[in-house]
Amino acid sequence: MYEDETALGVRMPSARRGPLRAVLRRMAIALAMLLAMFVLVAMDLDGYHDNADGEVSLLDALYYVTVSISTTGYGDITPVTPAARLVNIVAVTPLRIAFLVVLVGTTLEVLTKRTRDAILIDRWRARLHDHTVIIGYGTKGRAASRTLLENDLPKESIVVVDPDPVVIQEAAADGFVGVVGDGTRSHVLNRAKIGDARKIIIATRRDDTTALVTLTARSLNAGATIVAAVREAENDPLVRQSGADVVIISAEAAGRMLGVATQSPAVSSLIEDLLAYGKGLDVYERAIQPTEVGKPLVQGEELVVAVVRDGTYLTYTDPEVATLRASDRLVLIQSPPRRE
């Protein structure tokens, strides 16, 4: 289904195919070739001679086809007319060669796949830039990838890094390019071209690993937006000092959701709605429009809940956002547009 080792530990997206299905497919092709050769011989039985009794029956034709396509060729049945010999030259011999190719097809497929994967990886590296790297493809990493896809980010612009080869195989089956390796190592992240990435999502299983990955990623890319997840709130400052722009405290966020759901299930449902992109209400961020510069916040179809000014998050009730500036960005809530 997947090659054990590709160039530099990179796995390209690939369709999932089981070994039994591959064997059955080869058997079907071989039987089709055998049937095609039998039909050609059966159409001209008089063109063949059987050294045993001089006549060739359908059973003899099947016997001849079987020993011929396997290149055994006992010679007891032979083509004797010019037409039969021409059929053997033009059709039977090519089918015999194709049959042998099917028999050794596994080896040829591996060699072909290695060459094809090397070419695909070279092409992928040449055109990859401004992409998103997800380091850690567990529950958090998968959820992040689904959200990115829901925001219309193409699969080819997402690269997954994880130390588990089985996980990377799953990522490749999901349509993502995967890199096998430890995200704390520079050479592993360089395989994902992290230096050219625009966004980096760090969703490892341990907070100490997250801090090391963040530090490594930031040293390789000073301009990318790095979003990291940690379990414990006490590790938030450490990860931020390592270079993360945004830190999500997963355990505390889950605890807050549990508390909110206990006190007000409706509020909990609203929060879940806001987190699910494309359904109900969506939270998104946009730049200030020229017509809005110098004017106060106006609540219309878009519900403004916050303003980002010089990297600082300000709620809509903050007096500082009474007048909008050209560099401001608005955080809005709005129903998603219907897609035709």
Side-chain angles (χ1 to χ4, degrees):
M1 179 171 60
Y2 294 97
E3 186 179 344
D4 290 337
E5 288 294 338
T6 56
L8 296 177
V10 177
R11 304 291 191 276
M12 300 300 293
S14 176
R16 185 183 294 272
R17 181 189 299 173
L20 179 60
R21 181 180 176 184
V23 171
L24 293 177
R25 178 173 174 270
R26 294 186 184 281
M27 290 179 61
I29 294 175
L31 290 175
M33 293 179 180
L34 184 66
L35 179 61
M37 185 182 292
F38 172 72
V39 171
L40 291 174
V41 175
M43 292 174 60
D44 186 22
L45 294 178
D46 295 335
Y48 295 82
H49 177 75
D50 187 351
N51 294 331
D53 56 11
E55 296 183 357
V56 177
S57 63
L58 289 177
L59 180 60
D60 293 333
L62 183 59
Y63 162 76
Y64 168 76
V65 167
T66 303
V67 297
S68 295
I69 202 170
S70 63
T71 69
T72 304
Y74 295 113
D76 48 351
I77 299 178
T78 57
V80 293
T81 65
R85 291 177 177 176
L86 180 62
V87 169
N88 270 260
I89 294 173
V90 175
V92 174
T93 299
L95 283 172
R96 184 183 299 122
I97 296 173
F99 186 83
L100 291 176
V101 170
V102 171
L103 292 181
V104 297
T106 301
T107 302
L108 292 176
E109 183 177 1
V110 169
L111 295 176
T112 302
K113 188 176 186 304
R114 286 182 183 273
T115 303
R116 184 178 69 249
D117 284 350
I119 295 174
L120 288 175
I121 290 172
D122 288 340
R123 291 179 178 176
W124 166 72
R125 289 186 181 281
R127 64 174 181 264
L128 187 66
H129 60 87
D130 293 336
H131 55 292
T132 300
V133 179
I134 300 177
I135 304 172
Y137 200 62
T139 302
K140 293 176 288 188
R142 295 172 191 270
S145 67
R146 288 194 297 268
T147 301
L148 293 175
L149 296 179
E150 290 171 354
N151 280 272
D152 299 325
L153 194 69
K155 286 186 175 181
E156 56 269 21
S157 66
I158 299 175
V159 181
V160 174
V161 179
D162 197 281
D164 190 343
V166 175
V167 171
I168 291 301
Q169 288 179 358
E170 294 174 354
D174 291 339
F176 304 116
V177 174
V179 175
V180 180
D182 186 354
T184 63
R185 303 300 183 97
S186 298
H187 69 275
V188 173
L189 297 184
N190 284 329
R191 295 174 189 169
K193 294 195 68 177
I194 200 165
D196 296 328
R198 176 178 294 180
K199 300 176 183 178
I200 302 170
I201 297 175
I202 302 175
T204 61
R205 295 175 178 84
R206 294 170 53 95
D207 288 0
D208 53 352
T209 304
T210 297
L212 289 174
V213 172
T214 303
L215 187 63
T216 305
R218 179 56 75 197
S219 68
L220 297 174
N221 190 325
T225 299
I226 298 181
V227 180
V230 296
R231 293 184 56 83
E232 304 296 335
E234 62 185 13
N235 295 319
D236 183 337
L238 176 62
V239 176
R240 290 184 185 274
Q241 290 174 10
S242 299
D245 298 290
V246 179
V247 177
I248 306 299
I249 306 172
S250 58
E252 187 169 320
R256 288 176 180 174
M257 285 289 293
L258 291 173
V260 169
T262 302
Q263 299 297 321
S264 177
V267 174
S268 176
S269 299
L270 174 61
I271 295 175
E272 291 181 0
D273 182 12
L274 294 175
L275 293 176
Y277 182 81
K279 299 178 182 179
L281 297 174
D282 286 340
V283 180
Y284 67 101
E285 180 182 332
R286 70 166 174 84
I288 290 290
Q289 298 177 359
T291 55
E292 297 173 324
V293 176
K295 296 182 179 179
L297 283 176
V298 177
Q299 304 290 3
E301 294 183 359
E302 301 174 328
L303 178 61
V304 181
V305 294
V307 175
V308 180
R309 176 171 295 171
D310 299 328
T312 302
Y313 173 87
L314 303 172
T315 65
Y316 72 96
T317 59
D318 195 306
E320 293 187 22
V321 299
T323 302
L324 297 177
R325 301 176 184 176
S327 60
D328 289 344
R329 296 186 64 85
L330 301 181
V331 180
L332 310 161
I333 296 179
Q334 184 184 34
S335 297
R338 294 183 179 180
R339 297 184 180 180
E340 301 296 335

